[in-house]
Structures are given as C-alpha cells and as structure tokens.
Amino acid sequence: MTVKATRMSCLAPNVYTKVPDGGWGWIVAFAFFFVEALTYGIIKSFGVFFIDLMESFDETNSRISWIISICVFVLTFTAPLSTVLTNRFGHRLVVVIGGLLISTGMVTGSFARTVVEMYISIGIVSGLGYCLAFLPTVTILSQYFDKKRSLVTAVASTGECFAVFSFAPAITALKEHIGWRHSLLFVGLLQLGIVACGFLLRPIIIKVQEEVRVSAAEEQRETKYMLENEQTRTSIDSIDSGVEVTTSPRNTPGDAKSELKSEGPPKEITEVLIEASSIPAKEPKPQLLDFSVMKDHGFICYALFGLFATLGFFAPSLYIIPLSRSLGINKDHSAYILSAMAIAEVFGRISAGWVLNKKPIRKIYIELICVILLDIALFAFPFAYNFWGLMICSIYFGFMLGTVAGTHIPMLAEDDVVGIEKMSSAAGVYVFIQSLSGLAGPPLAGMLVDTTKNYSSAFYSCAAGMLLAAVFLSLVRPCKKVRQRKKEPPEENVSKPLQDVPEDFIEPDLGKNEDSSRSSDSVA
C-alpha cells in the first residue's frame, strides 16, 4: 500500500496509493485524543472556576460567561485562518503554534486582575490557540481513515470526556489547597502537551495511480511498431486489397529490419507515446481556502445546523454546577454531576461511531435522530429539583451530546454533505459560521439567568437553538438531492453526439470500396 517514504523519520510524509485505514493513523488518533482533552476538555471544565471568578472580580453571571464566550467565538471565527495556515505550512507547525498560544493565554490569565484581562488572555489568545490546535488535528485524522472514520474519530474524541471527568473533581480539590489562580496556572502548563501531540501529526499523501516507469528501448520500439501495424490493419483499403502490412521488427526481413532500426519509428507515434508515459500530468495547485462549498445549498443548511446546535454545546456544561449549587447541592456533589455527564458522553461518542460504521446506513439521518433526542434532554433540565434529578438529566444529556458532538465535524467528509475532497475547506467555513452562536450562546444564557434569577432558564435558550438545528439538519439531504438532479444531464443529450455525426462521414472509404470492386470486375 505504501509507495515510498522520503526519509526514515516520523517527520517525513506518508505516501499511500489509497486511504490506509490504519498505519500511522493510529498514532494520529492517539494525538487527537489528547488534543481533545486539552482543548475542549478544558473549555467544558471551566465551569469549576465560575463562582470563584464571580467572587474574585465581583462580576455578574453574564460578564463572567463572556470569558468562555469570547474564547469559543475566537475558536470558531478564526477557523478559515486555521485552514489557510494548514494548507500553507502543514498540520504539524500550526498545531504546535496553537499549543503555545493556549498555554500562554492560560498562564497569563492566572495573573489577571480584572475580567477584561481574562477576556484578552483566555478569550482571545487561548481561543486562537484552540482553533489552531483542534481543527488541523481532526482534519488530518479524517484523511487517514475511510471505512473506520466514524468509529475511530468518535473513540479518539472521547479524550474531551475523560478530561471533564478527571479535571472537574481534580481542579475542585486542587483549588482547596493552592487557590484558583495557581490551579489555572497548572492547567496552562499542562496544555503544553499539545505541542508534543503536534509533532506526531505526520502528513499523508494519497496517490491514486503509481508513477509509470519508462520501458526499455527495445520494448518501446516493439510497442511502436505494433501500434503502427494496428493502424495499418484497420485501413479499409488494405483489407479490400488483401494486403497486410506488418512493420514489426519480428516480422520484417533482415535488411528491412536493420533499415527500420536505423531510421527509427515514425515521428508522430513517438510523440504520442512520450506524452502518455514520460510526461506526468500537472496537478492543479490546491487552493488555500475553497469557498465554492458556499454554493452548495446542502452545505449551507448543514452550516446553519451547526450554528444553532452550538448554543446547546457549551452552556449546559458551563451552568450545570451553578444550577446544582442554586438547588442546595454542595460543590463536591456538583463536580460529580459534571463528571457523570462526561462519562455518559464517552459512551455516546463510542455508540455513535459504532452505529455510523455500519453499512448500509444513511449517517445523516442517524445524526438527526440524535439531535432531536438531545433537544429533549435540554428541555428536561428545568424540571430537575434535586441531586438525583440533575444526575439523571446530566447522564442522558451527556450521552446524547456525545452522539452529536463527536460526529458533526467528521460528517462533513461524507458525500451527503461535501465529501472528503473538500473536507478541509468546508471544516474551516463550517466552524467559522458557528462563531456567531459561540459568541452569543453563553452570554444569552447568562442574561436570562440575571433576568429571571433562575439558572434553569439558561437551558431553555439552548433547547430552542437545538430545535432550530434539527430543522436545518433535516433539510440537508433534500437540498443535496436537488443539486444532484440539476447536475445530471437529460437523457436526450446522451444520444445527441451520435445524431450530430455528418452523413458523409464514411462516404469516402465506401466510395473507394465501390470503385475497387468495379475495377476488379472489369479486369475479370
């Protein structure tokens, strides 16, 4: 399967004749697991700092929620920039730079004295780093797998869930001993591990056909004469006259054979063979960012699905601990609720990957069912009034969130959306469109909380956004069918080239045949 390796090093690109569905892809999946843990895992665990930041800076829910809101907005808004840099400099360098930015922002945020400084350090600097680290990693992982893509991506993305499960209680306990500032500093230093993961992202090159080697001179000469002989055999004049001209070296007398060798084959045939065998086809220069996906109505509907679904991705994990505290649940049990949500998300991601790996199955319909069930989970949170009620809602929500969050970006590689060829550019545009809801989601929920004085109202805005997301997701497949029908040529055009053939196309040869037969009759 592997054609060649330029250097015996993990830094050299892998060249395959087809998608390997394994190989170095398992190392990339391992790196993606930790990138997920140290990016989205930290973002979802940031709720453990929520009350500490409110007390330290004496700010409202809405203003504190802007920290994660700006971070998510920058993460999604700069997705096209991440795509351009990846196509220009490669996945490895971009992820390494992203890891450095994430760590720098978190460490700087631990020394912040105002909430505005947190907006800049964690919101802008770390947010840009999250985009540069996450998007290239999930893109290159999709390139290494085809048949196993859904399952491998889902399992690798569980790093986010394990991070929430372990970080939430660990950071809560760590704050009791060293305070929230030193805990945030520790998290920033831990995120330097993304740099190491970036070095494991070995580039992949898919060559559909192997390079054709130039044959030996004698074999080329034989092939050329065979082509010339084939042209001579198909001549109607030669068939009528009964003469078969054979100019192959094997069928030519000695003197004539040596003459043919000295003179060489006809020039026209030589040029044709050189063009077919020795001149490689020029590959089109890849675009840094392909916005042609915006002409696809199916992709636009899918992007709008992502826009509204993002409202329900981050706000619940951000507000579940404040909601539990408002119901009189102590902080230790509140951390357990968030951890249970993360563990349920692990099983949700794995289950979705296993189901989507089955064939034949229309994956986008499975995702639609999961989005509807996720919306039901969001509507259920306001009806929970004790620890076990929140625990059940969190486990159900976590499971359904895993089925959607682990598949909505890799789903772009499916033919129902854009396909693997446009996956890189489509992912950049898709995440860019998500930026608006990433910016508005947490503050909108915080504004509702400040207005109603009830944390349950934050989940209503998430549920409303997820309901709109389900509507747009249901329109993706119909729009794709309409586009395919427009591209298909009408049946009438299939036979049109045959109708356009001139009536006198074969008259000259037929005329010669008639003249030849008349002359032979007269001789007889």
Side-chain angles (χ1 to χ4, degrees):
M1 184 185 297
T2 304
V3 179
K4 64 179 180 178
T6 56
R7 297 191 304 273
M8 298 300 293
S9 169
C10 65
L11 299 179
N14 279 324
V15 184
Y16 296 94
T17 57
K18 62 180 181 179
V19 180
D21 261 333
W24 191 263
W26 298 115
I27 305 297
V28 176
F30 175 81
F32 179 62
F33 178 88
F34 284 99
V35 169
E36 274 271 359
L38 297 174
T39 54
Y40 280 101
I42 296 297
I43 293 176
K44 288 188 175 182
S45 302
F46 200 79
V48 300
F49 296 106
F50 202 88
I51 296 178
D52 297 296
L53 295 175
M54 289 178 60
E55 295 175 352
S56 179
F57 297 133
D58 192 22
E59 295 288 354
T60 62
N61 290 277
S62 180
R63 285 180 62 85
I64 294 299
S65 64
W66 274 100
I67 299 174
I68 291 300
S69 177
I70 294 174
C71 180
V72 174
F73 171 75
V74 174
L75 188 161
T76 52
F77 185 79
T78 56
L81 174 63
S82 176
T83 300
V84 171
L85 293 177
T86 301
N87 292 336
R88 178 63 180 85
F89 300 105
H91 299 78
R92 181 184 293 118
L93 179 61
V94 175
V95 173
V96 169
I97 295 175
L100 294 175
L101 288 175
I102 293 171
S103 180
T104 302
M106 280 293 180
V107 171
T108 305
S110 65
F111 297 99
R113 296 299 173 183
T114 64
V115 69
V116 176
E117 294 178 7
M118 298 286 282
Y119 293 163
I120 297 174
S121 59
I122 297 179
I124 297 178
V125 178
S126 292
L128 177 60
Y130 284 131
C131 182
L132 297 182
F134 171 76
L135 200 57
T137 310
V138 69
T139 301
I140 194 173
L141 180 62
S142 299
Q143 295 174 0
Y144 267 97
F145 292 91
D146 182 17
K147 297 178 181 178
K148 303 176 183 177
R149 183 185 300 132
S150 298
L151 182 59
V152 172
T153 306
V155 173
S157 66
T158 57
E160 168 188 337
C161 311
F162 283 109
V164 177
F165 171 75
S166 57
F167 288 167
I171 295 174
T172 302
L174 193 62
K175 288 191 303 177
E176 298 294 330
H177 295 86
I178 62 177
W180 71 268
R181 290 187 181 275
H182 290 88
S183 299
L184 191 61
L185 175 63
F186 172 78
V187 170
L189 296 177
L190 184 65
Q191 289 178 311
L192 282 175
I194 297 176
V195 176
C197 294
F199 284 109
L200 297 177
L201 302 182
R202 191 171 180 179
I204 180 173
I205 300 174
I206 304 295
K207 287 190 176 181
V208 180
Q209 294 181 350
E210 294 185 0
E211 188 174 332
V212 180
R213 296 181 179 179
V214 180
S215 57
E218 187 66 26
E219 294 177 355
Q220 283 187 343
R221 187 181 298 110
E222 177 69 21
T223 304
K224 296 170 186 177
Y225 289 130
M226 290 176 64
L227 289 173
E228 183 184 9
N229 188 28
E230 187 67 21
Q231 291 180 347
T232 308
R233 286 169 183 259
T234 56
S235 173
I236 296 179
D237 290 337
S238 298
I239 294 174
D240 291 338
S241 60
V243 179
E244 181 177 336
V245 181
T246 303
T247 55
S248 172
R250 296 176 181 175
N251 299 327
T252 308
D255 295 337
K257 186 175 182 179
S258 59
E259 183 179 351
L260 286 171
K261 287 184 179 180
S262 60
E263 293 180 358
K267 185 177 180 180
E268 296 180 357
I269 300 177
T270 305
E271 292 177 352
V272 171
L273 288 175
I274 292 175
E275 182 179 359
S277 60
S278 62
I279 299 179
K282 293 184 179 179
E283 299 180 357
K285 188 177 181 180
Q287 295 180 344
L288 295 180
L289 186 61
D290 185 8
F291 278 101
S292 63
V293 293
M294 295 299 295
K295 299 178 181 179
D296 190 342
H297 295 163
F299 171 76
I300 293 176
C301 290
Y302 194 82
L304 291 174
F305 148 72
L307 175 69
F308 291 104
T310 307
L311 292 174
F313 283 168
F314 298 101
S317 60
L318 185 63
Y319 283 99
I320 188 62
I321 291 182
L323 174 62
S324 62
R325 295 292 298 274
S326 68
L327 296 177
I329 302 172
N330 61 51
K331 54 186 176 183
D332 293 330
H333 286 78
S334 299
Y336 294 151
I337 293 175
L338 186 59
S339 299
M341 181 189 296
I343 288 298
E345 189 174 343
V346 172
F347 289 100
R349 289 173 183 263
I350 296 176
S351 300
W354 180 77
V355 172
L356 294 179
N357 201 47
K358 297 294 181 180
K359 290 184 178 181
I361 192 172
R362 185 65 67 184
K363 298 181 180 180
I364 198 165
Y365 292 154
I366 300 297
E367 187 175 11
L368 177 59
I369 295 173
C370 294
V371 170
I372 295 174
L373 295 177
L374 178 60
D375 195 33
I376 296 175
L378 289 169
F379 276 112
F381 272 104
F383 297 97
Y385 295 101
N386 53 33
F387 171 77
W388 287 110
L390 279 180
M391 179 65 77
I392 293 173
C393 290
S394 297
I395 292 175
Y396 176 48
F397 171 79
F399 182 86
M400 299 315 306
L401 178 64
T403 61
V404 178
T407 57
H408 71 110
I409 293 182
M411 188 69 67
L412 292 168
E414 303 298 329
D415 293 334
D416 281 340
V417 188
V418 294
I420 189 62
E421 293 80 8
K422 297 184 178 181
M423 163 72 175
S424 180
S425 295
V429 177
Y430 172 76
V431 177
F432 170 76
I433 294 175
Q434 285 183 290
S435 61
L436 296 178
S437 58
L439 177 66
L444 176 61
M447 184 179 63
L448 291 175
V449 170
D450 293 333
T451 303
T452 62
K453 306 299 180 182
N454 187 354
Y455 283 99
S456 297
S457 60
F459 294 86
Y460 285 122
S461 63
C462 302
M466 195 62 65
L467 183 61
L468 289 174
V471 172
F472 283 107
L473 183 60
S474 64
L475 297 176
V476 173
R477 181 63 184 166
C479 290
K480 200 71 176 179
K481 288 183 177 179
V482 171
R483 182 178 176 84
Q484 289 176 351
R485 288 173 183 173
K486 289 182 178 180
K487 285 185 176 181
E488 291 178 357
E491 295 182 358
E492 298 177 357
N493 296 338
V494 176
S495 58
K496 188 174 181 180
L498 296 177
Q499 298 175 357
D500 294 340
V501 178
E503 294 180 357
D504 58 346
F505 181 75
I506 56 175
E507 282 185 2
D509 285 340
L510 291 177
K512 291 180 181 180
N513 294 337
E514 292 178 359
D515 294 338
S516 176
S517 59
R518 290 174 182 174
S519 60
S520 58
D521 292 340
S522 60
V523 171

